[in-house]
Amino acid sequence: MSSTQMPGEFQLIQRLQTILASAAQNADGRQVVAGIGDDCAVLRGARGKYLLVTTDMLIEDVHFSRDYSSLREIGQKAMIVNLSDIAAMGGEPKYAFISVALPASFYLEEFDELWHGLAAVAREYSVLILGGDTNASFPQVEERGLVINITLIGEVCPQGLITRHGARPGDLILLTGQIGDSAAGLDLLQAIEHPSFQEDSPSLQASYYLLDSQYQKALQRHRVPVVRLAESRIISQHRLATAMIDVSDGVAGDLRHLCRHVHQGCHEQQALYGPSGRQGSRVSQKCGPGEAGALLWLERLPISGAVIEIAKVLQKPVLSYALFGGEDYELLFTSPPDLAEKARQMIEQATGTRVSIIGEITEKIKGVRLIDAQGQAIPVPESGFDHFRKAKRGE
């Protein structure tokens, strides 16, 4: 049997879709609204609602490090990652099933701390933990190897469901909160422990040891990300988005997911959005799935002062954090031009969360481009977090 190097995560998802389709595994397709390829699977549930099902596996030294986060924070983050998938589809989280694989060196007190973090977030968002599994992890590796897998079930009304697949050329691109903080915070944490930085740049040690509150904010965004469920409720209830995704792999990479399945060639806008401009039925004889491009306006990207300062200290490009830094878990969504400003105002007034209109969906031929202050178009390369990229720890 020949050996082929593992591709990226999303290439594997496409491959899995092909394998499952050829195996004719979807025998009860009438109950399946959406399968592999979105933030959640969507199933027909009771009382006319849809069930949302998501699962995420977090692995030590891939998704988190006990060197940089407490076990309580790791538990909180693990739950938040799954809550974010439910939020990305306009849903409400309900039930969780949690499995953990523990290193041989784990103590009971550490187990308790991890679970207190998981339970605290579940309690805050009214999620019931109903089961799971506990096992030993990599017996040959005593010190590392903590694995947390969560399956979360939520629900959404059919008219409130938002997928990745509804954007159209001409839609505006909106983003909650700020981007780049988590990746910049992680880089700063790694730099703090790297001997060469402290030896070569002693004047920067005060920054590394986080005496400034803005650094603390970036670090906290890495350790315990935000949850945008309140913002998602507004978007869903008022049908303000044509497509949505949470920013887990970087804005540039996640925007491309929205661009891969757009509605093309819809000459009758009311067929898609309804007479009021709100999103209505997605069935139109003149609409077809296709791919699109996007413009991102550099000056409107919401980049915090912390990211700018960390980039300066570590001599890294600010845009690298903003466009390709993962794990911000903000909501990236598209709206028709006549709804975008309304969406921004409604979310900001109700939640206090900043919302930025950062770009526009375009025709595919233009690709994904960044427009700078001088109006110059810069192609955005395909990049983002890749779970299968081989990298040395601390890279």
Side-chain angles (χ1 to χ4, degrees):
M1 183 177 179
S2 60
S3 298
T4 305
Q5 188 173 5
M6 292 290 284
E9 178 187 8
F10 291 97
Q11 286 75 25
L12 284 178
I13 290 174
Q14 292 171 355
R15 188 177 182 89
L16 181 57
Q17 287 173 321
T18 301
I19 292 171
L20 294 179
S22 65
Q25 55 89 37
N26 189 9
D28 193 17
R30 292 171 300 177
Q31 295 301 114
V32 179
V33 178
I36 297 171
D38 218 306
D39 286 286
C40 302
V42 186
L43 308 175
R44 298 188 191 279
R47 305 183 307 279
K49 291 190 175 182
Y50 288 160
L51 291 179
L52 302 175
V53 184
T54 183
T55 186
D56 264 298
M57 180 184 297
L58 277 73
I59 300 173
E60 187 168 11
D61 294 332
V62 175
H63 303 97
F64 63 85
S65 171
R66 281 187 276 164
D67 294 338
Y68 309 136
S69 301
S70 69
L71 283 164
R72 185 182 180 90
E73 290 169 334
I74 290 167
Q76 291 174 297
K77 181 175 181 177
M79 185 64 75
I80 286 169
V81 167
N82 286 270
L83 290 171
S84 187
D85 283 340
I86 300 291
M89 300 193 73
E92 293 288 339
K94 295 294 182 181
Y95 312 109
F97 299 84
I98 303 173
S99 296
V100 294
L102 306 174
S105 61
F106 230 59
Y107 290 100
L108 180 60
E109 292 80 5
E110 294 175 307
F111 177 83
D112 288 346
E113 184 183 356
L114 174 69
W115 269 92
H116 281 307
L118 290 161
V121 175
R123 184 167 53 250
E124 181 178 356
Y125 293 97
S126 302
V127 174
L128 294 178
I129 299 174
L130 299 180
D133 192 19
T134 305
N135 216 323
S137 169
F138 312 120
Q140 69 276 21
V141 182
E142 290 192 3
E143 297 301 322
R144 320 294 289 194
L146 174 62
V147 179
I148 308 166
N149 188 83
I150 299 178
T151 297
L152 190 63
I153 298 174
E155 64 180 18
V156 64
C157 293
Q159 63 269 28
L161 176 67
I162 310 168
T163 71
R164 300 178 181 182
H165 301 155
R168 299 178 59 209
D171 282 356
L172 296 181
I173 303 165
L174 292 85
L175 180 71
T176 63
Q178 297 175 321
I179 48 174
D181 290 83
S182 178
L186 175 60
D187 273 3
L188 183 59
L189 282 167
Q190 292 173 334
I192 290 170
E193 295 196 353
H194 202 290
S196 64
F197 276 91
Q198 297 190 25
E199 293 170 2
D200 297 342
S201 307
S203 63
L204 299 177
Q205 287 188 34
S207 295
Y208 292 156
Y209 286 107
L210 320 174
L211 298 180
D212 192 309
S213 61
Q214 68 176 344
Y215 294 102
Q216 288 281 2
K217 180 180 177 181
L219 296 191
Q220 192 62 16
R221 285 291 301 271
H222 170 70
R223 289 170 172 148
V224 183
V226 296
V227 183
R228 297 302 188 195
L229 274 169
E231 295 78 1
S232 169
R233 288 187 192 109
I234 295 170
I235 296 168
S236 173
Q237 290 170 5
H238 296 277
R239 304 181 193 176
L240 299 173
T242 53
M244 187 157 67
I245 191 171
D246 67 331
V247 181
S248 57
D249 299 323
V251 162
D254 288 318
L255 177 58
R256 280 193 164 87
H257 299 323
L258 298 186
C259 289
R260 287 193 179 107
H261 300 280
V262 300
H263 282 272
Q264 298 274 16
C266 298
H267 303 295
E268 298 178 6
Q269 184 169 339
Q270 289 184 358
L272 183 62
Y273 295 113
S276 67
R278 290 185 175 182
Q279 182 179 343
S281 172
R282 294 190 177 277
V283 178
S284 172
Q285 293 180 349
K286 296 188 178 182
C287 293
E291 293 188 30
L295 294 177
L296 289 173
W297 303 317
L298 174 60
E299 292 188 317
R300 297 196 186 184
L301 293 177
I303 305 171
S304 70
V307 172
I308 294 170
E309 287 302 314
I310 291 171
K312 186 186 302 182
V313 166
L314 301 183
Q315 299 180 4
K316 294 192 175 184
V318 173
L319 278 180
S320 178
Y321 289 129
L323 294 177
F324 307 117
E327 297 194 337
D328 286 309
Y329 297 104
E330 297 290 355
L331 295 178
L332 179 71
F333 62 102
T334 56
S335 290
D338 59 338
L339 286 184
E341 182 59 25
K342 176 183 178 181
R344 186 189 68 77
Q345 291 182 9
M346 288 186 70
I347 296 168
E348 289 187 347
Q349 290 172 6
T351 68
T353 299
R354 176 183 177 184
V355 177
S356 304
I357 300 175
I358 63 170
E360 180 182 357
I361 300 295
T362 67
E363 300 295 335
K364 178 185 177 182
I365 193 170
K366 297 180 180 179
V368 178
R369 298 176 300 162
L370 187 71
I371 306 300
D372 65 17
Q374 289 72 45
Q376 298 296 313
I378 306 167
V380 177
E382 292 198 31
S383 184
F385 181 74
D386 180 359
H387 297 271
F388 297 98
R389 182 175 68 91
K390 293 181 173 62
K392 294 180 181 179
R393 195 156 165 248
E395 184 179 65

